[in-house]
Amino acid sequence: MNAPDLLHLLRSGDIEPLHAQLSDLQAQFEAGKLHERDLLRAFHPFQTSDLTLSDGFQKWTEKRPGTYAPHVALAGWFLGRGWEARGGQKSNRVSDQGWRSLDHFLTQADGCARHAATLTDNPLAAWHVIGLVSNTRGCQLSLHDVQTQHYPDWFTRGVADKPGSFVLRRVMLLHLRTEWGGSEEHMLTFVRQQQDAGLLGQTDMQRLWAEFHSCVAHHAQHFSQDHALAVERARIAAELDPLQSEQLLISLTGANASPFERLDALRRYLSAAQQENSVPSSNFGWAVLNAEDWIRPELPRITALLDRAAQDGDADSAVLLGHMQLIHPAWGTQSARAVLEIARDQGHTAAAETLAYLSEHTSAPVEQRREDILKAADLLSGEMSWHVYQQFPEFQRQFNLEPRQRFKYLHRAADGGENDARFELAQQLRAGNVELGEDGLLRPVDTQPLQASLDYAKHLLERAASTDHAPSSKALKAARERDWQAETARRVKLRAVQTGPVKPGEPAGERQARVPWWLIAVLIVGALRACAHFTDAPPTSEVDPFRLLEERAELSQQQDLIQQVADGKLKAVLEGDQVKFVPVDPRDH
């Protein structure tokens, strides 16, 4: 049975054929009749964020208690939920909610997999999950540990059970990556040890060396900004293992190499991926989105690869199809809405956000756009929760929401990493307008802020400021130590929160302030520059995978800036020949 068949059985509660299939594969593996790659491929589909599987897992573990297969599969699902909660951002941009959920699910995954390891003779799949959990938490091994081969139990015990395991060695090599706390010397020492031990076949040893060079290339490009080294190592990796042509394509894209070189690497990767039934990485998506029309001949193969992966349950491939639609509409790629809706219904936040972008992009009816935004917000999207908070009256009318739910979406937006929401909630807490109860819910109040509220407000501003959010940085600089102590803090005076855009017919006298003509001119020039940057920026420049989407959002932020000045939330400050906009300090009023 393939991945969709296995997940369908679990989702529908048809446990017996599912259990029999996986138990039989495990028995074949332990008898030496099944390759480890085929065993792990069978268990891999359960490493998903699919929320619709929860009831099936409960039924499976109840019907087959004390057996290996359901516990390994459940451990993989906990791991998938943790990865989903963390998201694909760099660590400093992972939200508070993301870190909490990641830690919770990793703990569950590790405990479940360790229990599974006691239930069969050769629990390779369980050790594999534990290794992935360990990688997600980061490398804790010193170079001396590697040199003396003091490795964690998931590796030593797993290799003792399966001396020729390539997959465990690959996971350990990834564990030793520089960006995760190891170093190139960590990795090199480890690979040489495996070569000297002679337990891997020639092909697997060659693949391990390829993985080593690919890891070096990845770090050189994304962390050291050494594109020449990245391309050099990626070429070596691709020669050793054609599947590593993916990393070569990525490195060539970062180096702004010629279309001919990139197209050649792309074709080599697509052929290898088809042969190996491989799922592309998120960095592959970055390379594709930064391509130009030279990629058109291979679009059918790219979309076929992504569609197959999405149909097999890989939500990230569905998201990439959606972003190809958004960023490169002229490519005419297939509509991603169907696969995105499946992924969203299974609980994938990025898929839900992409559907909201598509609704806006295709000028869907406003009711449809709100529905897509709300569904993403209810999957803990910080960005979409912020939209619900900002336009709450409209959402309230359409979905019959309770008034207090507005604060729920504000908290969810701030907790989900949306910087404007962090700032807004921090100021509301400092104003004594809301407080966070022991149940984790925001409540409207009208009182001197509690110490817990001030502590949380400061934390929110510091998190936002750490990612260069100017209003939060200004608020922190303006605050004094007494402002963070409940006994001495003065309640911040806030203007009424704007619940929606100012309607064109609203009398000017009802606004907080009037915008001078020169300020509008400055903002229009800024908007035109943003448009020019969006139009002219070379698609091969090294940026975040979804930079173009962010730049589109920046254009609408220009309009928001005008409104914030009009509402008295920002003020213009002349510095030399430039105009800067800073938050209005409530103490100035």
Side-chain angles (χ1 to χ4, degrees):
M1 282 184 276
N2 58 24
D5 291 336
L6 292 172
L7 294 180
H8 175 71
L9 290 174
L10 180 58
R11 197 176 290 115
S12 62
D14 195 1
I15 300 303
E16 290 309 318
L18 170 65
H19 186 80
Q21 170 77 4
L22 293 174
S23 297
D24 180 61
L25 291 175
Q26 178 65 24
Q28 291 183 49
F29 171 71
E30 293 185 358
K33 299 178 181 179
L34 186 72
H35 195 278
E36 66 175 4
R37 178 179 61 249
D38 298 317
L39 176 74
L40 293 179
R41 185 169 289 165
F43 279 103
H44 178 74
F46 300 101
Q47 293 175 20
T48 173
S49 60
D50 188 346
L51 292 172
T52 67
L53 300 177
S54 58
D55 291 342
F57 274 119
Q58 182 173 351
K59 185 176 181 179
W60 192 5
T61 52
E62 288 175 351
K63 290 191 70 172
R64 292 289 184 168
T67 58
Y68 178 71
H71 287 87
V72 173
L74 181 58
W77 185 66
F78 282 137
L79 179 62
R81 292 299 304 152
W83 287 339
E84 164 70 16
R86 186 199 182 282
Q89 298 279 1
K90 290 185 177 180
S91 59
N92 69 321
R93 292 186 178 271
V94 177
S95 68
D96 292 342
Q97 184 275 330
W99 283 126
R100 285 196 314 274
S101 296
L102 175 65
D103 181 69
H104 168 76
F105 285 120
L106 290 184
T107 301
Q108 296 293 317
D110 186 78
C112 194
R114 288 188 178 278
H115 176 61
T118 67
L119 301 176
T120 195
D121 292 335
N122 191 343
L124 173 72
W127 294 128
H128 186 247
V129 171
I130 297 168
L132 294 175
V133 169
S134 182
N135 285 7
T136 308
R137 292 195 183 280
C139 179
Q140 303 297 321
L141 299 176
S142 67
L143 179 59
H144 178 72
D145 290 331
V146 178
Q147 291 169 337
T148 56
Q149 302 192 48
H150 286 168
Y151 295 115
D153 64 340
W154 61 264
F155 180 73
T156 56
R157 294 176 63 182
V159 171
D161 291 336
K162 180 68 172 173
S165 174
F166 169 78
V167 294
L168 287 178
R169 288 175 171 87
R170 179 181 181 275
V171 174
M172 176 51 71
L173 176 63
L174 296 178
H175 185 73
L176 301 173
R177 295 169 74 167
T178 306
E179 57 268 32
W180 290 355
S183 69
E184 182 176 345
E185 191 171 358
H186 278 69
M187 294 188 292
L188 181 59
T189 301
F190 172 75
V191 176
R192 284 175 172 169
Q193 286 173 357
Q194 307 316 305
Q195 182 166 300
D196 292 343
L199 296 175
L200 287 180
Q202 181 177 356
T203 299
D204 282 344
M205 196 63 234
Q206 186 169 309
R207 290 170 64 201
L208 195 65
W209 276 113
E211 196 73 57
F212 163 72
H213 289 292
S214 181
C215 288
V216 175
H218 174 85
H219 188 270
Q221 175 177 344
H222 295 286
F223 294 88
S224 302
Q225 305 298 307
D226 189 341
H227 298 293
L229 177 61
V231 171
E232 176 188 343
R233 292 302 192 91
R235 288 192 191 281
I236 297 173
E239 289 301 318
L240 293 170
D241 180 3
L243 202 58
Q244 295 295 346
S245 297
E246 180 189 42
Q247 180 58 52
L248 178 57
L249 169 66
I250 295 163
S251 297
L252 289 169
T253 301
N256 201 18
S258 70
F260 175 80
E261 291 181 285
R262 292 158 68 182
L263 188 59
D264 179 65
L266 172 63
R267 286 170 171 161
R268 290 169 63 187
Y269 168 67
L270 290 173
S271 297
Q274 183 177 14
Q275 182 177 350
E276 296 286 337
N277 198 30
S278 176
V279 175
S281 70
S282 59
N283 286 324
F284 172 78
W286 172 81
V288 168
L289 294 175
N290 279 279
E292 298 173 297
D293 281 352
W294 56 261
I295 204 174
R296 282 180 179 271
E298 295 304 321
L299 285 176
R301 284 212 292 170
I302 294 171
T303 54
L305 171 68
L306 296 175
D307 187 63
R308 172 189 58 77
Q311 296 290 347
D312 286 348
D314 183 58
D316 291 334
S317 293
V319 170
L320 178 52
L321 283 170
H323 283 285
M324 288 170 67
Q325 258 189 280
L326 284 165
I327 296 174
H328 295 288
W331 287 355
T333 51
Q334 67 191 62
S335 172
R337 187 162 191 98
V339 290
L340 284 168
E341 285 180 344
I342 292 172
R344 179 186 64 186
D345 293 344
Q346 294 172 353
H348 197 278
T349 306
E353 291 175 335
T354 305
L355 278 167
Y357 299 146
L358 281 173
S359 290
E360 183 72 27
H361 178 70
T362 57
S363 300
V366 66
E367 293 80 9
Q368 178 65 57
R369 281 181 269 170
R370 289 198 198 109
E371 182 178 348
D372 288 336
I373 289 172
L374 187 65
K375 286 184 176 181
D378 287 338
L379 287 175
L380 306 183
S381 165
E383 178 185 354
M384 298 306 162
S385 296
W386 179 237
H387 282 301
V388 175
Y389 174 75
Q390 287 181 302
Q391 304 166 28
F392 189 76
E394 290 84 356
F395 282 89
Q396 184 180 23
R397 284 192 295 270
Q398 182 172 339
F399 301 103
N400 196 29
L401 301 178
E402 294 293 331
R404 292 178 65 177
Q405 287 184 275
R406 184 172 186 230
F407 292 107
K408 179 184 78 171
Y409 287 105
L410 172 60
H411 185 213
R412 184 173 289 174
D415 201 39
E418 180 64 32
N419 279 335
D420 288 338
R422 283 168 166 164
F423 177 78
E424 170 70 19
L425 178 54
Q427 298 300 81
Q428 292 279 2
L429 289 164
R430 296 177 67 195
N433 292 343
V434 293
E435 64 183 26
L436 195 62
E438 293 182 359
D439 55 3
L441 299 178
L442 276 182
R443 293 183 177 84
V445 294
D446 184 9
T447 183
Q448 181 71 15
L450 303 174
Q451 186 60 50
S453 295
L454 294 172
D455 292 342
Y456 186 38
K458 187 176 183 181
H459 166 77
L460 290 170
L461 293 174
E462 288 174 342
R463 291 266 5 231
S466 70
T467 54
D468 302 321
H469 187 248
S472 297
S473 298
K474 295 286 187 181
L476 285 170
K477 289 179 181 178
R480 302 293 180 262
E481 184 59 34
R482 65 175 181 271
D483 296 325
W484 304 116
Q485 303 301 321
E487 297 82 5
T488 56
R490 293 180 297 175
R491 295 177 66 180
V492 173
K493 295 181 181 179
L494 299 179
R495 298 182 185 274
V497 178
Q498 190 74 27
T499 58
V502 177
K503 296 180 181 180
E506 180 181 356
E510 292 183 15
R511 299 185 183 183
Q512 298 289 352
R514 298 187 64 180
V515 186
W517 67 267
W518 61 267
L519 182 51
I520 294 177
V522 170
L523 294 175
I524 291 174
V525 170
L528 291 174
R529 288 177 177 173
C531 290
H533 177 64
F534 174 73
T535 303
D536 299 336
T540 54
S541 60
E542 183 167 1
V543 294
D544 185 81
F546 305 125
R547 169 184 57 81
L548 296 181
L549 287 176
E550 294 174 354
E551 290 186 352
R552 286 176 178 173
E554 287 176 8
L555 300 182
S556 65
Q557 289 174 6
Q558 296 289 336
Q559 299 173 347
D560 293 339
L561 186 57
I562 295 177
Q563 186 58 54
Q564 288 186 62
V565 175
D567 292 338
K569 296 179 180 179
L570 296 179
K571 64 181 179 180
V573 177
L574 287 171
E575 292 188 4
D577 59 352
Q578 294 184 343
V579 178
K580 294 187 176 181
F581 301 94
V582 300
V584 174
D585 191 334
R587 293 175 298 183
D588 294 340
H589 297 279

